[in-house]
Amino acid sequence: MSGQEKAIADSLHGLLAELIAIPSVTPPGDTQAICEAAGEHFRAAGYDVSMPMRTPPIANLVARLGEGSPCVVFNSHIDTVGTGDRAAWHTDPFAATKEDGCIYGLGANNCKGSAAVHLWLADETARRGGPAQGSVVFVLAGDEERLGPEGTAFLREEGLIQPDVLVLGSPTENHIIVEERGILWLEIETTGRAAHGGDPPAGDNAILRMMRLLERLNSEYAPVLATRRQGEKASTMNIGTIHAGENPNVVPDRCTARIDRRILPEESVEAATAEVEDVLAGAGEPAGSYTVRRVVGTNGFSAPLDGPHVSALVAAIEERLGRPPAVLNALAASDGRFFARDGIEIVSFGPGDGAVSHAANEFIPLTEMVDAALILRAFVERTLGFALSS
């Protein structure tokens, strides 16, 4: 690592330490303090900063430099999951501890590491006079970990970010993701008639009704989904939760279950919802004995690899690392899905390995953060240029 790269590494470690030290755990998803601290950083660099928030304490930060198109938006979520069993951590989860070239701490990998890279990039862009053309926007978003509507979805609904290209900070080991499945969560609720557990025939067991409906989905719908593939991506359905009953001696009159349906970019939330409803209708349960409610529903996206902005990022990666990035298959869902039908380029990119997310002793390699920072600086220079020469 050169002297310049060592200085960048020290800067990134410091920025990440500031972010990790401010808890932003979901629940409750309180991101106000971390957005306020980051906002001061952006203001000091000359950015126009706002902190949109529809439902406290879930806050977001939007920092803008320049005007007009092309508009490059860097988005990183700054809420985290909980620590889990604190005894499983060998370091303080709220301190950025450096060991063997890696930074340990809650959210280091997902996704405060990318947020720190974006903060560094914001400083570099401002130091070089801002974009020579168009605008650059940095977003720190809340409400991502629960797939909620108060983060990036809210910013898009309000027109507060209107990107030509959306770069999502994500632990991809500095490879890229340009396609992602949509996500649909459906809640099925069955109703019946309560009765004493000593006389089951006097009641109408809502759990048994749910069992019949779920078996219908498993036997009739799951095999159909198994035939739908797009490259490495597959249509899937998972029965994730079932809740019912008060006591073993009571026939339950209500039961709820939630299913997770991942849909291919070529499929739609509306069509997938209708399919589930049609399959359940074939189970023969009485009219009005169950309902289907959409909890979450966003389409998948697919950005062309030869798009001008994705191509610029690929070129910057190859220039820095000496090899083209792999195009990864995403299992999880990102905030890019809210822009799935907006006709923009969407790409996930960042340091860290998604496999160590959401676990004790979460970490991120510092060298990957340095590479990501230099790659993104070259990307901004390729797409927007800098007003001042380096």
Side-chain angles (χ1 to χ4, degrees), residues 47 65 120-131 136 138 380 386:
Y47 283 76
L65 197 62
W120 180 89
L121 178 63
D123 283 346
E124 276 292 288
T125 301
R127 186 178 69 84
R128 296 181 178 218
V136 60
F138 292 91
V380 172
F386 293 119

Side-chain angles (χ1 to χ4, degrees), residues 331-362:
L331 292 179
S334 76
D335 280 352
R337 67 190 190 280
F338 299 119
F339 298 82
R341 298 296 184 259
D342 288 1
I344 66 169
E345 292 184 65
I346 305 171
V347 58
S348 292
F349 166 84
D353 180 356
V356 304
S357 298
H358 299 176
N361 305 308
E362 180 180 357

Side-chain angles (χ1 to χ4, degrees), residues 185-324:
W185 285 0
L186 294 174
E187 181 177 87
I188 304 168
E189 181 177 59
T190 57
T191 55
R193 185 175 62 257
H196 195 285
D199 185 16
D204 183 5
N205 194 312
I207 292 178
L208 296 180
R209 174 162 290 117
M210 182 65 75
M211 290 172 59
R212 293 190 292 270
L213 291 175
L214 295 182
E215 174 54 29
R216 174 78 177 180
L217 286 175
N218 193 52
S219 62
E220 300 295 327
Y221 192 41
V224 173
L225 296 182
T227 67
R228 297 181 189 170
R229 301 194 66 89
Q230 184 176 328
E232 294 184 4
K233 288 176 289 299
S235 275
T236 60
M237 177 190 66
N238 178 58
I239 300 168
T241 66
I242 299 177
H243 298 284
E246 299 176 6
N247 219 40
N249 63 350
V250 178
V251 175
D253 64 352
R254 195 168 300 273
C255 179
T256 61
R258 286 191 174 186
I259 67 171
D260 178 313
R261 170 80 166 83
R262 300 299 167 110
I263 61 178
L264 298 174
E266 62 192 20
E267 298 179 293
S268 73
V269 163
E270 292 76 17
T273 302
E275 282 183 336
V276 170
E277 291 172 338
D278 288 345
V279 172
L280 294 178
E285 296 299 320
S289 65
Y290 69 91
T291 59
V292 179
R293 180 176 71 89
R294 186 186 305 170
V295 179
V296 172
T298 45
N299 292 312
F301 65 82
S302 178
L305 275 172
D306 59 355
H309 300 102
V310 172
S311 295
L313 179 58
V314 168
I317 294 170
E318 190 163 6
E319 180 180 53
R320 172 66 186 174
L321 302 181
R323 49 87 177 155

Side-chain angles (χ1 to χ4, degrees), residues 2 12 27 93 129 144 158-159 170 179 221 244 275 330:
S2 68
L12 289 168
E144 194 271 353
E158 297 297 315
S170 181
E179 290 186 326
Y221 192 41
E275 282 183 336

